Amino acid sequence: MSGRLLPFRRSPARASVGGTSSFSSAPSGARREGPAGTAAPSSRPSEAPRFRELIAPHIDAAYSLSRYLARDAAAAEDIAQEALLKAFRNLDALRGGEVKPWLMAIVRNTYFDWRRRDNGRTVTGLAADVAMAETPADDASAEDDLIRQGDVAALRRAIETIPEPFREALVLRDLEEMSYRDVAETTGVPMGTVMSRIARARRMLGERMGVLEATA
Amino acid sequence: MSACPDKELLLHALADNELDAGNVLALEAHIATCHGCAAELEAIREVKARLKAAPLAYEAPQSLLDRIDAALTEAEAPPSQARRRRGVGSETWVLSGTGAALAASLALVAFIPAGANLQLALVDAQARSLEASHLVDVQTSDRHTVKPWFNGKVDFAPPVVDLAAQGYPLVGGRLDRIDGKRVAALVFHRGAHVINLFIWPGDAPSAPLMQQKDGYNLVRWGQGGLVFWAVSDCDPAALSGFQKEFAAQTKP
């Protein structure tokens, strides 16, 4: 079980009692705020209420994408934070658009910026690739057994070994359950490319699960 | 036997419900006569099902939530103003206990929500635990079973004692979330009443602080770098007694 029992960070007015705030708002029928949007004051000093309403529900998704891109927990946290604050500063640009593809595109760009800046100092991806290549046959088959059993950590490692463009497409489609159109919007490539990347990624995973054949 | 190369992407799109009606019809007609494509579609669905069955997406760590929340709090009000506002209002009495800590830093404020919100979250968690048969994840009166159950689920070791002899039998434990933070919850009975004891790392005075919210009694205390909140609808004296017994039994 996930342990996530509260509807998480639903934002809102109630959370700012006393001047502090928090993302979560425990479920309580009697106290629940009105429909989304009622909490945001129209005054201009801060976009924080809008952020809590629109962006906060996607913080997990932003972090998860960062994590699968960077393949390193500390780097992922930095990237996600930078991306979320960027989104906060640029909320104006969102007017009317879809939130998730917009936010995920920011996460992705932040990751590419980070990778350029970092320039190999954090060899997360490389380390993972090397570790994979050097895995002895026994360990590799033990790992595949775990993957077949649906072991979460092993499946996550398996996803990490998928080359980047395919991995990203799979994470957005199969983990975040975004539509092809939204994945295309996030990654800035045509739908056909999205489709073939998803197919490739699933094939790589499917082989290790013992489900899909090696070649079509 | 494998799928027709020109159909592969369409099979994925069919499995993803991304095909329009016309393409669905054409593809289904093809699958009906092509075993390779039918098998491929099954395999794709199997991969998808396995990915869905495992919680593969990561949850944001609490430290990230705190940092974002702190940034938002700062944007919502300059620090001096936020501090001043916190002293006003109906919940001042709740804050007095932690007032010094709250004033110390905004980051801490983000981490431990102000009294009113936290109490609501705790009371809601208590009420929720009584519904939907989710009182406990691990049901046992054996503290030696409950304690290791938390290993790896929370990054601290909650003390677990059975207080049956004192009139508060241990029912079990579960994971809960208070204000986005993963916490340990121990469940005790007091007669027909349920006592939820929420535990997480933090600092609180060891002297118990009794409070009331929405008909529930709450008591908070700190010990050994952990914060304890017991919530129950039993009478205040019984809850206070529970606090004394638990604190005495878990004293280092």
Side-chain angles (χ1 to χ4, degrees):
Chain A
M1 59 148 252
S2 74
R4 171 149 303 176
L5 301 171
L6 289 179
F8 198 32
R9 310 168 207 121
R10 178 102 17 107
S11 82
R14 192 181 96 204
S16 46
V17 172
T20 76
S21 50
S22 82
F23 292 129
S24 101
S25 114
S28 167
R31 273 184 227 94
R32 203 182 292 283
E33 309 296 340
T38 54
S42 55
S43 62
R44 196 39 244 198
S46 166
E47 290 260 65
R50 253 188 107 221
F51 181 94
R52 289 181 194 285
E53 178 198 327
L54 298 173
I55 308 294
H58 301 294
I59 290 180
D60 279 342
Y63 174 77
S64 191
L65 179 62
S66 306
R67 181 77 186 258
Y68 275 111
L69 286 173
R71 300 185 283 188
D72 177 85
E77 194 169 336
D78 288 346
I79 292 163
Q81 175 177 346
E82 196 182 324
L84 288 161
L85 294 180
K86 244 188 248 175
F88 178 45
R89 287 193 299 271
N90 294 297
L91 260 183
D92 271 346
L94 182 60
R95 303 277 167 205
E98 283 250 21
V99 177
K100 197 167 181 180
W102 178 77
L103 178 65
M104 296 306 245
I106 294 176
V107 169
R108 200 174 163 270
N109 291 335
T110 308
Y111 161 70
F112 287 124
D113 288 347
W114 170 82
R115 202 176 59 178
R116 211 170 304 132
R117 248 192 345 257
D118 190 71
N119 198 19
R121 261 172 291 144
T122 315
V123 284
T124 58
L126 186 62
D129 292 340
V130 171
M132 185 58 207
E134 289 177 349
T135 309
D138 282 0
D139 290 0
S141 84
E143 181 79 356
D144 281 358
D145 284 346
L146 286 174
I147 292 170
R148 275 160 219 214
Q149 289 157 21
D151 181 85
V152 172
L155 280 167
R156 283 174 166 173
R157 285 192 295 270
I159 293 172
E160 287 192 353
T161 61
I162 300 174
E164 197 168 83
F166 311 110
R167 185 191 335 140
E168 166 182 86
L170 180 103
V171 167
L172 293 173
R173 169 66 223 180
D174 283 334
L175 272 50
E176 295 304 328
E177 302 188 328
M178 289 166 65
S179 68
Y180 286 4
R181 182 187 302 277
D182 285 353
V183 177
E185 187 183 329
T186 294
T187 53
V189 295
M191 269 227 323
T193 308
V194 168
M195 291 168 74
S196 65
R197 285 177 180 178
I198 291 170
R200 280 277 297 276
R202 282 182 186 155
R203 177 159 304 286
M204 292 178 216
L205 268 187
E207 282 170 31
R208 300 193 64 193
M209 290 173 175
V211 171
L212 275 169
E213 289 171 38
T215 47
Chain B
M1 183 166 50
S2 58
C4 308
D6 63 320
K7 298 286 191 293
E8 196 200 349
L9 297 188
L10 289 175
L11 291 168
H12 283 272
L14 180 64
D16 284 331
N17 286 325
E18 292 266 2
L19 282 189
D20 60 73
N23 275 309
V24 169
L25 277 181
L27 189 59
E28 283 180 345
H30 171 76
I31 291 167
T33 59
C34 174
H35 294 303
C37 282
E40 176 85 358
L41 179 62
E42 275 319 295
I44 292 166
R45 289 189 164 140
E46 178 67 21
V47 171
K48 276 172 61 83
R50 291 192 192 193
L51 288 174
K52 199 167 181 170
L56 297 176
Y58 287 93
E59 286 182 6
Q62 188 62 44
S63 48
L64 174 62
L65 302 181
D66 295 341
R67 280 146 78 190
I68 298 298
D69 203 23
L72 292 184
T73 305
E74 210 163 340
E76 277 169 329
S80 58
Q81 202 185 337
R83 233 171 266 153
R84 185 166 47 75
R85 277 216 315 251
R86 202 162 292 123
V88 195
S90 58
E91 302 292 346
T92 309
W93 61 278
V94 174
L95 297 174
S96 60
T98 52
L102 286 173
S105 87
L106 272 176
L108 186 60
V109 170
F111 184 64
I112 304 173
N117 293 329
L118 177 57
Q119 286 180 316
L120 284 178
L122 288 164
V123 166
D124 283 337
Q126 160 82 8
R128 198 174 55 245
S129 75
L130 303 177
E131 302 163 353
S133 68
H134 192 80
L135 187 57
V136 291
D137 290 329
V138 51
Q139 178 160 22
T140 170
S141 59
D142 181 1
R143 64 193 177 90
H144 298 297
T145 305
V146 176
K147 195 172 169 62
W149 181 84
F150 282 110
N151 283 347
K153 297 187 176 68
V154 289
D155 52 8
F156 56 97
V160 181
V161 292
D162 185 13
L163 299 172
Q166 292 79 14
Y168 308 93
L170 175 65
V171 181
R174 75 172 186 281
L175 282 185
D176 211 325
R177 241 176 216 277
I178 300 296
D179 227 72
K181 179 167 35 185
R182 193 167 289 196
V183 307
L186 298 177
V187 182
F188 297 84
H189 274 160
R190 172 64 176 184
H193 302 280
V194 168
I195 299 174
N196 268 294
L197 176 60
F198 300 98
I199 308 170
W200 61 84
D203 290 316
S206 58
L209 175 70
M210 291 288 294
Q211 295 169 359
Q212 285 192 323
K213 190 89 191 170
D214 295 352
Y216 288 98
N217 292 298
L218 299 88
V219 56
R220 183 208 66 198
W221 72 100
Q223 188 168 292
L226 296 173
V227 179
F228 298 81
W229 278 90
V231 186
S232 181
D233 58 353
C234 69
D235 67 89
L239 191 62
S240 172
F242 169 81
Q243 188 277 327
K244 282 191 186 69
E245 297 292 351
F246 191 94
Q249 296 278 326
T250 56
K251 201 172 287 173

